[in-house]
Amino acid sequence: MARSRLHELSEHGVSVWMDSLSRELLETGELVRLVEEDAVVGVTSNPTIFDKALSTGSWYDEQLRDALTRLDDPKEIFLELAVADVADACDLLRPVWERTGGVDGYVSIEVDPELAYDRDETYEEAIRLHLLVDRPNAYVKIPGTEPGLGAIEDCIARGRSINVTLIFSLERHREVAEAYVRGLERLLESGGDLASVISVASFFVSRVDTEADRRLEQAGRPALRGKLAVANAKLAYQQYLEIFAGPRWEALAAQGARPQRCLWASTSTKNPEYRDVLYVEELVGPDVVNTMPAETISAFQDHGVVADTLTEGVDEARALLDELAAAGVDYDDVVATLEREGVEKFAESFRALRQGIDAKRAVLAA
């Protein structure tokens, strides 16, 4: 097999994950092709992705007909469909999981985002989803809200692997890492196997520029547009290097614990003025994940440039935060807005998904 740009990216320490999952992707063999030709070693999913998959074509109709004879609640019907996809994808990626020693080869399923501000219900649903999928290479995604932090810690303490999603701020990223470390410490105290649990911190990228750029235009500082997202991620990676080092972490690592890698999410470029692989090329470094939509995977294979960029320009990234403040753009408000809107967008997709199942129910009944 020819050495591709994405294989070269992997050699520089970036795990390439696909940001969508569907029955079509599985049954047409497209996911197998992505693994073989595009160096894909993981898959994430969210309510928006599943909503699109369910609303197009007839890939789910047969299973949906069967589920409708037994279930009434649209959420439970959705979970039956989604769990089947996630379990099948986990089986497909199991050789990757084994080859990488449990670092890659994961597939994610997300807790109902309408529970994002309830610690106990988020924890209970996360445990339930892990039991439903019942695969060692499954991640359950929990939004990194303040109440979510406790649920994340509790899940890790139970030995359940978690993909923390919707992280926008440096402060929240640090809190998420702390929740992971505390969970590992609790797991160790209870006699658990630290090597059996792992986590990623999904740090959203392009949306940061979308929100900051809008405010910079209003402030009359367009020259600063298109810079915050990459700077934010680079500073998050510096936090990662700091947190997963030193005596506290080394004590856990000695017992088999693995660091919580940064996962770059929302890496498709929203602004057509920017290079379409901007959020891949600028965040290349060791031990990170970049989860990409199909369009970005294809674009990077075509013209992506691989160079170690993640640890470059860190001082400039810190200085940028001061420049934004001087321009009247409140970083804390930008990231708080993005977290709030991110949760609501996923919740809206989850509601649309349930409505879509009801609509399919009517069509199939007819």
Side-chain angles (χ1 to χ4, degrees), residues 64 106 108 114 134 203 253 358:
L64 189 53
Y106 288 89
S108 299
E114 293 188 306
D134 193 24
F203 206 85
D358 279 335

Side-chain angles (χ1 to χ4, degrees), residues 121-139:
E121 288 196 39
T122 293
Y123 166 75
E124 289 169 8
E125 178 148 311
I127 296 299
R128 180 187 175 214
L129 290 175
H130 261 298
L131 293 172
L132 286 171
V133 177
D134 193 24
R135 300 292 191 279
N137 55 326
Y139 267 129

Side-chain angles (χ1 to χ4, degrees), residues 54 68 79 109 111 113 116 126 136 151 233 236 253 260 263 293 298 341 349 361:
L54 279 165
L68 289 169
L79 286 178
I109 186 170
V111 166
Q260 183 187 56
L263 180 154
S298 178
E341 290 181 349
S349 293
R361 185 203 307 264

Side-chain angles (χ1 to χ4, degrees), residues 25 47 71 141 189 214 225 230 259 281 342:
L25 196 68
L71 302 168
K141 294 173 78 173
E189 288 172 6
R214 182 182 64 79
R225 291 184 312 133
V230 168
E281 291 178 337

Side-chain angles (χ1 to χ4, degrees), residues 167-343:
I167 304 171
F168 296 93
S169 78
L170 294 168
E171 179 182 5
R172 182 70 83 227
H173 172 247
R174 183 175 287 277
E175 292 170 342
V176 164
E178 175 64 21
Y180 176 58
V181 171
R182 284 198 307 267
L184 289 172
E185 289 171 338
R186 287 170 54 191
L187 180 60
L188 182 62
E189 288 172 6
S190 66
D193 178 13
L194 300 193
S196 69
V197 64
I198 196 168
S199 179
V200 288
S202 293
F203 206 85
F204 279 53
V205 184
S206 66
R207 294 189 195 181
V208 174
D209 273 344
T210 300
E211 180 65 22
D213 286 2
R214 182 182 64 79
R215 299 185 186 207
L216 286 165
E217 286 284 2
Q218 292 174 347
R221 296 292 300 275
L224 294 177
R225 291 184 312 133
K227 295 182 178 181
L228 180 57
V230 168
N232 203 35
K234 288 186 175 185
L235 294 177
Y237 185 70
Q238 291 299 309
Q239 287 191 157
Y240 158 83
L241 295 175
E242 172 192 333
I243 293 165
F244 296 101
R248 184 186 183 191
W249 175 249
E250 288 166 4
L252 292 170
Q255 299 297 319
R258 291 170 295 188
Q260 183 187 56
R261 290 186 296 170
C262 292
L263 180 154
W264 312 129
S266 182
T267 55
S268 61
T269 306
K270 306 297 189 291
N271 188 334
E273 295 178 17
Y274 301 156
R275 186 168 166 81
D276 59 357
V277 289
L278 168 68
Y279 303 120
V280 182
E281 291 178 337
E282 292 296 324
L283 299 174
V284 178
D287 303 317
V288 297
V289 179
N290 196 309
T291 180
M292 310 177 204
E295 298 80 8
T296 304
I297 286 175
S298 178
F300 198 89
Q301 283 290 53
D302 181 67
H303 52 264
V305 176
V306 180
D308 293 318
T309 52
L310 188 52
T311 56
E312 294 180 348
V314 174
D315 289 341
E316 291 85 344
R318 292 194 177 97
L320 178 66
L321 297 184
D322 293 332
E323 291 183 75
L324 290 172
V329 175
D330 185 337
Y331 170 85
D332 291 336
D333 187 65
V334 167
V335 293
T337 298
L338 288 167
E339 180 184 297
R340 184 175 63 253
E341 290 181 349
V343 171

Side-chain angles (χ1 to χ4, degrees), residues 15-26:
S15 293
V16 179
W17 289 12
M18 177 82 170
D19 84 340
S20 62
L21 178 63
S22 69
R23 190 68 49 87
E24 181 179 5
L25 196 68
L26 289 162

Side-chain angles (χ1 to χ4, degrees), residues 4-140:
S4 73
R5 286 182 170 88
L6 285 169
H7 285 92
E8 185 181 355
L9 185 68
S10 300
E11 292 167 5
H12 280 248
V14 180
S15 293
V16 179
W17 289 12
M18 177 82 170
D19 84 340
S20 62
L21 178 63
S22 69
R23 190 68 49 87
E24 181 179 5
L25 196 68
L26 289 162
E27 294 192 357
T28 61
E30 177 62 9
L31 183 55
V32 172
R33 189 199 66 77
L34 285 161
V35 171
E36 292 176 349
E37 298 180 13
D38 293 330
V40 168
V41 291
V43 179
T44 61
S45 62
N46 61 51
T48 304
I49 297 299
F50 269 117
D51 183 34
K52 290 178 182 176
L54 279 165
S55 62
T56 57
S58 57
W59 294 95
Y60 293 91
D61 287 1
E62 183 178 349
Q63 189 185 1
L64 189 53
R65 283 191 184 94
D66 175 63
L68 289 169
T69 66
R70 296 176 285 101
L71 302 168
D72 290 321
D73 185 346
K75 177 177 173 178
E76 294 305 311
I77 294 168
F78 156 69
L79 286 178
E80 187 161 307
L81 303 178
V83 165
D85 280 359
V86 171
D88 286 347
C90 282
D91 292 342
L92 190 154
L93 286 165
R94 181 70 176 262
V96 174
W97 182 78
E98 293 173 348
R99 187 183 76 242
T100 61
V103 174
D104 284 310
Y106 288 89
V107 184
S108 299
I109 186 170
E110 184 153 347
V111 166
D112 181 346
E114 293 188 306
L115 306 178
Y117 298 105
D118 188 312
R119 170 179 178 161
D120 293 338
E121 288 196 39
T122 293
Y123 166 75
E124 289 169 8
E125 178 148 311
I127 296 299
R128 180 187 175 214
L129 290 175
H130 261 298
L131 293 172
L132 286 171
V133 177
D134 193 24
R135 300 292 191 279
N137 55 326
Y139 267 129
V140 171

